[in-house]
Amino acid sequence: MHKARILRRFSALLIALGGCGGGDPTEPLIAVPQPAGFAETAAETAPPQNLLTESRAQLGKRLFFEAQLSSDGTVSCSSCHQQEHGFADPRPVSVGVEGRQGKRNASHLTNLAWVRTGLFWDGRAATLEEQVGMPIEDPLEMNLPLPTAVARLAADPSYLADFNLAYGEAPTVQTLTRALASFVRTLVSSNSRYDKHLRGQEQALSESEVSGMKLFFSKETGCFHCHSEHTLSNDGFFNNGSFLEGGDVGRQALTGRTGDLGKFRVPNLRNVEVTAPYMHDGSLATLEEVVEHYARGGRGHPSTDTQIEALSLSAEDKVDLVNFLKSLTDRTFLSDPRYRL
C-alpha cells in the first residue's frame, strides 16, 4: 500500500477513536506516549524502510503470539516475554522447543525503540529488525529457519491478507522481521509513579521512595552512572560484578576484546519489580538481593568495573532503594489490553 494512503487511513482512525488513553483495546497500538525526557517518539525511531504504521504493528502483534513460528508449534515470542512480567520471562533462563534450556535470562522488551548500541545482553543485534528474527532460528529457542517460517505464513490466507495490507506483498523474511519489530516499538512504558513524579506530581512517591530516589541518583551509590534519570539506562555495556571465573564471558565472546570480559548490556529498569529474576543469568531472585549485590561491591572478580565498590548502606537505605525501584512499575502498561490478542 502506498505510504500516503496508509498515513491517511491511520489519521482517519485516530480521529474516529478520539486519541489515546491506554485502556481501550480498540485504541491504535502505535498511539503510544513519548516518555518524559526522551528526544523522539517511538514512531520516529523506526527506520525509513519500516515506518511504524498501525497495520504493521497489528501484524507484528499477531506474529508475536504465533506458535507456528517454532519448529514444533509450541513456542511463541510471548512464551518468554510475558506482559504481566514487563515482557520478560519469570524463569532464570527461557525454555524453548522440546524443553531446551536457554543460556541467558530473557530480557524485557520495554522501551527498546530507543536502544542504539545493540540488542541482547551482548549487543549482537544492531537493530530491532535484526534482533526479532534471531530467537526464531535459535536451536535452543524456536528452532525454525526464517524461510520455513515465511512458507508457513504464506500458506495461511489470513496472513497473506495481513501482509498485503501492511507491506503490499506476500510475507518475506524481511517483512516478517519488520512486522515483529514494529510491534516491539509500541511496547512503551511511561506511566509509573516515578514518571508521574517527573511530570510534577510530587505526591506520586512516598517518603521512603523519595529517599530511595535521592540515594539512587547520589554520588554515594553512583547508580545514575548506568541508569540515567529518564531512560533508566546508559545504553551501554558494563561489568557489574556478576561475572565469575569460568562463567559467561558476555560481550567478549562477540568482540574478542579483553576489556569486554563479563560485560553485559545495561538494562533499563522499567517495571523492574516484575521482571525477576535478575542479571544475565537470572541468578538473583529479588530486588533485595540485587541491592545486596551492589552493596557488597559485586562478587569480587578482578574484571569488575572500578565503579562497583562496596557501599555503606544502612538497613533503612536498602529498604528505601527497593521501594524506589518498585515505584518504576507501570501498572497501566502491564495491563494494557492492546498488547493482548
Side-chain angles (χ1 to χ4, degrees):
M1 182 182 293
H2 191 273
K3 173 184 171 183
R5 192 181 308 166
I6 292 174
L7 292 175
R8 285 197 298 272
R9 288 190 177 185
F10 174 60
S11 297
L13 180 60
L14 280 178
I15 293 171
L17 295 174
C20 64
D24 188 339
T26 65
E27 289 173 359
L29 266 175
I30 67 174
V32 292
Q34 180 175 354
F38 283 55
E40 55 190 346
T41 66
E44 289 170 336
T45 70
Q49 65 272 25
N50 191 30
L51 295 175
L52 185 59
T53 70
E54 186 65 13
S55 59
R56 292 172 179 181
Q58 291 290 351
L59 171 57
K61 181 175 79 168
R62 183 181 177 190
L63 293 167
F64 189 82
F65 289 92
E66 181 55 79
Q68 287 305 309
L69 294 182
S70 64
S71 58
D72 62 3
T74 64
V75 178
S76 69
C77 302
S78 64
S79 300
C80 301
H81 298 285
Q82 302 168 22
Q83 182 179 5
E84 63 270 28
H85 294 286
F87 289 96
D89 194 333
R91 298 167 292 191
V93 296
S94 296
V95 178
V97 296
E98 301 175 356
R100 299 175 189 178
Q101 296 285 316
K103 295 180 179 179
R104 292 172 179 164
N105 179 257
S107 300
H108 71 74
L109 303 180
T110 309
N111 293 4
L112 294 189
W114 291 275
V115 173
R116 291 285 186 257
T117 56
L119 296 146
F120 290 113
W121 281 107
D122 56 11
R124 66 186 181 275
T127 66
L128 278 174
E129 282 76 10
E130 184 179 350
Q131 185 271 331
V132 294
M134 291 182 176
I136 297 175
E137 294 196 307
D138 191 313
L140 298 180
E141 298 185 59
M142 299 166 77
N143 191 38
L144 189 70
L146 286 172
T148 304
V150 168
R152 289 185 180 183
L153 297 172
D156 185 328
S158 65
Y159 269 120
L160 282 174
D162 284 352
F163 273 92
N164 271 294
L165 176 62
Y167 291 102
E169 61 180 348
T172 64
V173 169
Q174 188 176 69
T175 55
L176 165 60
T177 57
R178 286 179 176 179
L180 279 167
S182 294
F183 174 62
V184 174
R185 284 193 176 91
T186 72
L187 302 180
V188 177
S189 177
S190 64
N191 200 38
S192 67
R193 287 184 296 107
Y194 171 67
D195 290 302
K196 294 175 182 178
H197 176 84
L198 290 179
R199 294 195 292 264
Q201 299 180 34
E202 294 183 1
Q203 302 306 313
L205 299 183
S206 70
E207 182 177 345
S208 174
E209 289 163 348
V210 170
S211 295
M213 178 183 67
K214 291 179 179 177
L215 192 57
F216 187 90
F217 292 110
S218 71
K219 292 182 179 180
E220 181 180 353
T221 65
C223 303
F224 67 91
H225 290 300
C226 287
H227 302 284
S228 62
E229 181 181 27
H230 295 289
T231 63
L232 296 170
S233 176
N234 65 2
D235 203 20
F237 301 87
F238 194 70
N239 185 328
N240 68 352
S242 61
F243 174 75
L244 288 174
E245 197 64 40
D248 188 337
V249 299
R251 189 161 171 78
Q252 187 188 64
L254 181 72
T255 68
R257 292 195 293 260
T258 301
D260 283 338
L261 177 64
K263 285 188 176 181
F264 295 92
R265 160 161 291 289
V266 176
N268 79 64
L269 300 181
R270 296 285 168 179
N271 303 297
V272 69
E273 179 184 10
V274 300
T275 61
Y278 307 104
M279 305 300 175
H280 66 279
D281 55 1
S283 58
L284 300 182
T286 67
L287 288 175
E288 286 78 7
E289 290 182 18
V290 172
V291 170
E292 288 294 342
H293 169 85
Y294 288 109
R296 65 174 176 266
R299 295 171 175 171
H301 193 272
S303 66
T304 302
D305 192 279
T306 56
Q307 292 185 71
I308 300 297
E309 53 187 12
L311 304 173
S312 298
L313 297 177
S314 68
E316 184 178 4
D317 288 337
K318 294 175 183 178
V319 170
D320 290 343
L321 280 169
V322 169
N323 287 339
F324 167 65
L325 292 171
K326 291 180 178 179
S327 79
L328 306 178
T329 305
D330 181 351
R331 300 294 175 188
T332 302
F333 175 77
L334 298 177
S335 61
D336 193 326
R338 295 177 300 167
Y339 297 133
R340 299 192 294 269
L341 283 181

